[in-house]
Amino acid sequence: MPIFLFKGRILPEFEEISAWNVPTVHFYEPPHLPDLPEGLKGDFNIAINHSLIDLICTVDELVSLSRIHNRAIAYVRAFVDLHCFATGAPLTVILDTAIDPYGEAFTLRTIHPSLANLCTVRINNANVPGSFGFGDVMDHIIREPALFLAMRDLISALSYADLAVVNCARAIEGLRNIMVPDENREKAWPIFQGNLNFDRAYREFVTKRAIAPRHGDRTEYITGPEIDEALQRSWKIMNRFLEFRRGGNKPLRPPDFDLLAG
């Protein structure tokens, strides 16, 4: 049976958490198309020594490292979250090293390079390769707490796949509340969408998928491609909001900002 080993740590490190002889967790996920056409079945075994994590995952069939990692990090977070609940201590889990069934080690990084191309508010310094700044956009974010909280929601979507669509939707709704704070939803959405030049269907791809989990219903499965698409759309909407602010709150129009539809 294929075995994956994950290593990581719990932050802040001064908590010095240790856990031994943790019972094996048996898990089973039914087939989910297109993510898991055959389902997934296996065991998790965890040991934590002074906040250093070793997690062994044994599965019935070999699947991609990314799929195993998504489930492994969810399990470790659940275990640590129970400790947080019992102690009131907020802790962060990082799994940044993996060894696959062939003995090859990998450094794990959760990164979406395609999203970088959607950010037009960045200003590069030609004299310092790899550097960047944000000019007057930073001023808007600092002066508007609701805006940096919406940004925080969006960035959190990168780290928590299970909550990605919820965080994306909350970020979008946060921006709408900033732009049109005193109108009801039915009147506010068209104003928000019109100013940033995208249609209702484009936005509802994200917000409709978030309705059930935001209200505690976790039964509807959201696939990996749907999560990726939600991130792409939310990134574009956030970028357009920042361009809207940078441009003096003038509606965005072609040719610089074509309609985002569908």
Side-chain angles (χ1 to χ4, degrees):
M1 300 176 69
I3 298 175
F4 294 82
L5 172 62
F6 295 93
K7 290 180 173 291
R9 57 199 179 278
I10 299 170
L11 302 176
E13 294 171 339
F14 59 74
E15 287 290 336
E16 289 288 317
I17 295 171
S18 295
W20 304 97
N21 300 318
V22 179
T24 298
V25 171
H26 309 285
F27 69 91
Y28 170 70
E29 291 190 42
H32 293 298
L33 293 175
D35 286 36
L36 291 172
E38 305 299 328
L40 184 63
K41 184 178 179 182
D43 298 329
F44 283 128
N45 288 280
I46 186 172
I48 302 174
N49 182 20
H50 298 290
S51 296
L52 298 179
I53 301 168
D54 283 295
L55 176 67
I56 298 174
C57 180
T58 306
V59 291
D60 280 1
E61 296 184 12
L62 186 63
V63 296
S64 69
L65 178 60
S66 62
R67 287 176 179 169
I68 296 295
H69 177 249
N70 287 340
R71 280 111 186 127
I73 190 68
Y75 166 62
V76 177
R77 280 177 178 147
F79 182 86
V80 174
D81 282 351
L82 187 57
H83 176 83
C84 296
F85 179 73
T87 62
L91 302 171
T92 299
V93 174
I94 296 174
L95 287 185
D96 54 7
T97 302
I99 300 175
D100 69 12
Y102 306 105
E104 186 172 358
F106 297 87
T107 297
L108 301 173
R109 295 180 64 200
T110 302
I111 188 169
H112 299 260
S114 62
L115 299 177
N117 297 326
L118 306 179
C119 176
T120 62
V121 297
R122 183 172 61 181
I123 303 171
N124 291 310
N125 184 341
N127 297 322
V128 184
S131 68
F132 61 89
F134 295 97
D136 54 357
V137 171
M138 179 61 73
D139 293 334
H140 292 293
I141 292 177
I142 295 300
R143 285 190 281 106
E144 295 186 83
L147 179 52
F148 68 66
L149 289 174
M151 178 71 75
R152 183 66 257 163
D153 282 332
L154 186 58
I155 302 309
S156 294
L158 295 175
S159 301
Y160 299 91
D162 293 338
L163 296 175
V165 174
V166 171
N167 282 337
C168 285
R170 188 163 56 193
I172 292 171
E173 291 203 34
L175 297 177
R176 187 255 302 158
N177 276 303
I178 295 169
M179 184 184 294
V180 197
D182 298 323
E183 295 283 355
N184 64 45
R185 289 170 179 259
E186 293 302 316
K187 293 180 180 180
W189 279 122
I191 297 171
F192 179 65
Q193 292 159 188
N195 281 337
L196 302 188
N197 203 23
F198 63 88
D199 67 13
R200 176 174 178 171
Y202 189 85
R203 181 261 304 174
E204 285 189 340
F205 181 94
V206 182
T207 55
K208 277 195 170 183
R209 281 170 172 77
I211 292 174
R214 287 179 71 177
H215 290 84
D217 182 355
R218 317 284 185 176
T219 58
E220 185 175 347
Y221 184 74
I222 302 176
T223 68
E226 287 177 313
I227 292 172
D228 289 340
E229 181 65 20
L231 284 168
Q232 294 270 337
R233 294 184 183 217
S234 303
W235 231 257
K236 290 180 181 179
I237 291 172
M238 174 64 78
N239 186 72
R240 288 201 169 191
F241 185 91
L242 296 176
E243 290 285 11
F244 175 79
R245 277 288 191 260
R246 182 161 70 173
N249 298 329
K250 295 179 181 178
L252 306 182
R253 294 290 180 263
D256 294 326
F257 301 96
D258 293 329
L259 177 69
L260 300 174

